[in-house]
Amino acid sequence: MAIVTQLTLTSLYLGAFLPIDSIFSTQGIMVMLLAAYGLAMWMFLTSAPKVYTVMVSDLEVARQFYEGLLELNVADVPLHYYYNYEQTLGTAGIDPLYMSATPTVTATTNLGAREGLWYQLKKNTQLHIITGASHGYKNRQRHVCFDSECLEELLLRVESRRLKYKVRRKKPLNFLVKDLDDRIIEMVEVKN
């Protein structure tokens, strides 16, 4: 009898520290689900690749340059950069930032092109190429980026491929590269 009483008291003390009945209550299950969701989001965001964006004046010339000369591998669009989320929400897929007050033909025809090109730059680093840059001096192809690290990586890639290039300025970084068709591509870092 004393042993049974002692076991009952021991289980009561453990029950005070491990409230099993409250863990399996509705509130306890909701807390566990929220904790699991938070952990899943943290794992998803920490494993997401770093993405550098480069605006170019001509997407096809950029494709030839990055795939042909720099030999970058085409990458999948990372989930956190998925652009068609508007369609799942029931909207027409048109970002209001791209629309003018009066819709014109040019405002609606480039919707498919806004996804651009995706390349694997390093192990956990991707390069996102989009249109939007103007042509440079003497109608040069211009590639504009806001990250100096991105342009430094691209310059290293240009040097390793032994392409003709000329560094015009170190800060902000600005260099010229010749492609196979003797087009001059101007790589420009834009300061915020």
Side-chain angles (χ1 to χ4, degrees):
M1 183 78 170
I3 295 175
V4 172
T5 308
Q6 192 175 21
L7 283 175
T8 307
L9 288 176
T10 305
S11 64
L12 284 175
Y13 291 135
L14 283 177
F17 293 110
L18 299 171
I20 303 287
D21 57 337
S22 65
I23 289 176
F24 293 111
S25 68
T26 305
Q27 188 177 13
I29 291 173
M30 290 302 293
V31 168
M32 287 191 300
L33 286 174
L34 284 172
Y37 177 74
L39 178 65
M41 286 302 294
W42 177 79
M43 290 174 60
F44 169 71
L45 292 174
T46 56
S47 68
K50 183 173 187 171
V51 176
Y52 292 121
T53 302
V54 176
M55 285 192 332
V56 298
S57 51
D58 187 331
L59 205 57
E60 187 53 39
V61 172
R63 180 190 318 271
Q64 294 168 8
F65 178 72
Y66 291 103
E67 288 178 21
L69 284 176
L70 296 186
E71 298 176 0
L72 293 175
N73 294 325
V74 175
D76 292 329
V77 177
L79 288 177
H80 68 290
Y81 265 79
Y82 188 68
Y83 279 98
N84 291 328
Y85 67 93
E86 299 98 356
Q87 292 174 354
T88 62
L89 296 174
T91 62
I94 299 172
D95 191 344
L97 191 63
Y98 292 104
M99 293 298 292
S100 62
T102 57
T104 60
V105 176
T106 57
T108 57
T109 54
N110 290 332
L111 291 177
R114 83 185 166 142
E115 292 157 356
L117 306 170
W118 291 87
Y119 297 106
Q120 199 69 39
L121 191 58
K122 293 191 315 188
K123 182 179 178 185
N124 202 24
T125 306
Q126 290 185 350
L127 189 62
H128 183 201
I129 310 296
I130 60 173
T131 58
S134 61
H135 287 277
Y137 176 72
K138 291 187 180 178
N139 209 22
R140 287 183 183 146
Q141 296 296 316
R142 180 177 274 177
H143 296 203
V144 178
C145 185
F146 290 96
D147 291 305
S148 62
E149 292 174 21
C150 174
L151 285 180
E152 289 169 5
E153 287 291 328
L154 291 174
L155 182 58
L156 285 174
R157 192 87 175 185
V158 165
E159 290 172 343
S160 69
R161 298 291 180 266
R162 297 185 179 183
L163 300 173
K164 291 181 182 179
Y165 72 94
K166 177 184 176 184
V167 176
R168 297 172 64 197
R169 208 175 33 241
K170 293 265 185 189
K171 292 202 185 232
L173 186 56
N174 183 327
F175 62 95
L176 304 174
V177 182
K178 270 196 174 181
D179 69 0
L180 293 176
D181 295 328
D182 278 339
R183 288 181 291 235
I184 296 176
I185 297 175
E186 181 181 12
M187 309 291 279
V188 180
E189 175 189 357
V190 177
K191 286 291 187 187
N192 298 4

